DNA sequence: TCTCAAGGAATCTATTCCAG
DNA sequence: CTGGAATAGATTCCTTGAGA
């Protein structure tokens, strides 16, 4: 375990960064997406993107892109599986059109970090289908799952963490599907379910962010694990949780009490 | 001044983790 | 179920200090 000082610094940095994002929330987006299962693809191609949801942090308005929505527009709802490639391509066309007009926004995401699952995967998929992806600069991406480790350490002991975190915080799970269930929904062509699950997740991500900012997110890490049992840790603990002013006030009250007591002793 | 022990630091390896 | 990255655990290495 790295030393306490370093951990406190990481926590502070991550919180500061997140606060900064939320302060400029007119420029802030939350993104999540669903795709086919990562394994179990027979012909070696990368998993299809099935739906993407993007939520404006300040207004809560959510834009979404999904295969079945595109199919509906093009009148192909009953023959989706015959047109996967072109439908997926049209959906990504719409998505990247959106990206190019929001290239300077900040994007909060959950573990979308590599070619397996993440921005890289979406870009790759679009290239495969013949598109040219607009790249979001890495500086504009904020991986909430990773930053939460900086802030809380091992914030949930049980797995899957995302789902357990939701349970622990009593955030509503209507329409929510676990990862395996989402992949299964795609197999069964339950695109609407899939889409709603993605929408719900983006919703949940916003709640989580807000709770972190308000310092009332419930996690499995104890105060001691977060701050460590060191003078600086205790100082941060008091400062963040009960307010520095209250601490100083109480300290003053105790000291004046002691002084008063000594004076009465001397006078009697 | 040399040797050896102890402990902190650095490096190497094993395990966990995460999205659908 | 994947795959790589990050973390935790294990091991080695190096420095420092004390004693002969």
């Amino acid at each position: 375990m790295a030393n306490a000082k370093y951990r406190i610094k990481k926590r502070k940095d991550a919180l500061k960064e997140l606060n900064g994002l939320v302060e400029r929330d007119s420029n802030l987006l939350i993104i999540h997406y669903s795709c086919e299962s990562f394994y179990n693809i027979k012909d070696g191609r990368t998993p299809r993107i099935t739906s993407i949801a993007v939520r404006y942090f300040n207004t809560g308005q959510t834009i979404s892109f999904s295969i079945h929505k595109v199919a509906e527009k093009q009148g192909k709802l009953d023959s989706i599986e015959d047109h996967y490639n072109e439908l997926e391509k049209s959906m990504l066309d719409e998505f990247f059109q959106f990206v190019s007009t929001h290239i300077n926004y900040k994007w909060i995401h959950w573990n979308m970090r590599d070619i397996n699952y993440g921005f890289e995967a979406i870009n790759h998929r679009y290239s495969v289908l013949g598109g040219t992806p607009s790249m979001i600069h890495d500086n504009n991406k904020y991986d909430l799952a990773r930053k939460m480790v900086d802030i809380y350490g091992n914030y949930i002991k049980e797995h899957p963490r995302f789902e357990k975190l939701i349970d622990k915080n009593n955030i509503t799970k209507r329409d929510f599907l676990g990862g395996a269930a989402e992949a299964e929904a795609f197999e069964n062509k339950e695109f609407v379910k899939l889409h709603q699950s993605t929408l719900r997740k983006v919703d949940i991500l916003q709640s989580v962010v807000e709770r972190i900012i308000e310092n009332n997110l419930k996690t499995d890490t104890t105060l001691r694990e977060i701050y460590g049992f060191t003078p600086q840790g205790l100082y941060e603990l008091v400062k963040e949780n009960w307010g520095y002013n209250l601490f100083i006030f109480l300290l003053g009250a105790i000291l004046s009490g002691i002084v008063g007591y000594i004076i009465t002793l001397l006078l009697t």
Side-chain angles (χ1 to χ4, degrees):
Chain A
M1 181 59 77
N3 67 56
K5 208 172 169 184
Y6 178 63
R7 211 150 28 77
I8 289 171
K9 184 183 178 327
K10 271 175 85 173
R11 174 181 164 81
K12 274 179 130 174
D13 287 349
L15 279 173
K16 197 174 154 198
E17 204 181 341
L18 192 59
N19 270 292
L21 293 181
V22 173
E23 269 168 33
R24 287 181 289 280
D25 64 358
S26 57
N27 232 29
L28 187 58
L29 301 169
I30 300 178
I31 182 171
H32 200 72
Y33 82 99
S34 62
C35 64
E36 274 183 284
S37 185
F38 318 119
Y39 65 104
N40 206 22
I41 301 256
K42 299 97 195 163
D43 42 11
R45 66 176 168 74
T46 41
R48 288 185 199 291
I49 315 296
T50 50
S51 66
I52 306 174
V54 184
R55 180 178 167 119
Y56 287 94
F57 195 92
N58 61 338
T59 63
Q61 285 297 309
T62 305
I63 313 289
S64 63
F65 311 90
S66 75
I67 283 194
H68 85 273
K69 228 178 64 181
V70 172
E72 186 181 15
K73 267 198 219 164
Q74 301 184 4
K76 290 172 183 158
L77 261 185
D78 41 10
S79 58
I80 289 180
E81 53 273 44
D82 300 329
H83 301 96
Y84 270 145
N85 276 350
E86 54 174 294
L87 292 174
E88 191 185 358
K89 170 75 168 32
S90 308
M91 175 186 77
L92 291 175
D93 280 338
E94 284 180 22
F95 172 67
F96 279 104
Q97 175 62 36
F98 180 86
V99 169
S100 64
T101 54
H102 294 79
I103 205 84
N104 289 318
Y105 276 61
K106 304 286 180 184
W107 300 69
I108 292 181
H109 63 93
W110 189 266
N111 269 323
M112 288 175 51
R113 57 176 126 83
D114 56 30
I115 186 71
N116 222 326
Y117 180 85
F119 293 98
E120 267 320 297
I122 301 177
N123 289 346
H124 175 75
R125 209 48 216 153
Y126 194 42
S127 306
V128 168
L129 294 168
T132 310
S134 307
M135 300 289 186
I136 301 167
H137 200 278
D138 283 349
N139 290 341
N140 290 334
K141 298 173 189 165
Y142 187 95
D143 186 346
L144 190 60
R146 180 141 307 285
K147 294 295 177 179
M148 278 182 62
V149 174
D150 288 348
I151 297 174
Y152 298 105
N154 189 11
Y155 55 95
I156 289 286
K157 271 44 177 193
E158 257 186 292
H159 289 266
R161 272 164 142 183
F162 187 46
E163 200 168 341
K164 295 293 174 195
L165 180 72
I166 297 162
D167 290 341
K168 196 174 182 79
N169 284 277
N170 299 316
I171 298 173
T172 177
K173 277 209 315 191
R174 194 152 60 82
D175 305 326
F176 181 98
L177 296 175
E182 271 194 19
E184 205 177 304
F186 177 81
E187 289 293 317
N188 299 332
K189 303 178 181 57
E190 296 171 312
F191 302 107
V192 179
K193 260 191 177 177
L194 196 52
H195 188 206
Q196 277 175 333
S197 174
T198 312
L199 285 173
R200 170 62 60 191
K201 284 180 181 176
V202 122
D203 220 58
I204 291 169
L205 284 177
Q206 172 145 6
S207 310
V208 171
V209 170
E210 282 168 352
R211 285 173 201 220
I212 294 174
I213 298 287
E214 290 160 15
N215 199 14
N216 58 12
L217 185 79
K218 293 188 186 119
T219 66
D220 285 351
T221 23
T222 61
L223 288 175
R224 181 179 172 166
E225 279 172 321
I226 294 176
Y227 298 99
F229 199 71
T230 63
Q232 202 201 349
L234 292 173
Y235 170 78
E236 296 292 338
L237 170 68
V238 168
K239 193 169 132 192
E240 285 183 25
N241 290 282
W242 295 292
Y244 187 63
N245 292 335
L246 178 63
F247 174 65
I248 293 296
F249 172 77
L250 288 176
L251 193 66
I254 291 166
L255 284 178
S256 65
I258 292 170
V259 170
Y261 180 67
I262 291 171
I263 289 174
T264 41
L265 276 186
L266 291 175
L267 292 180
T268 48

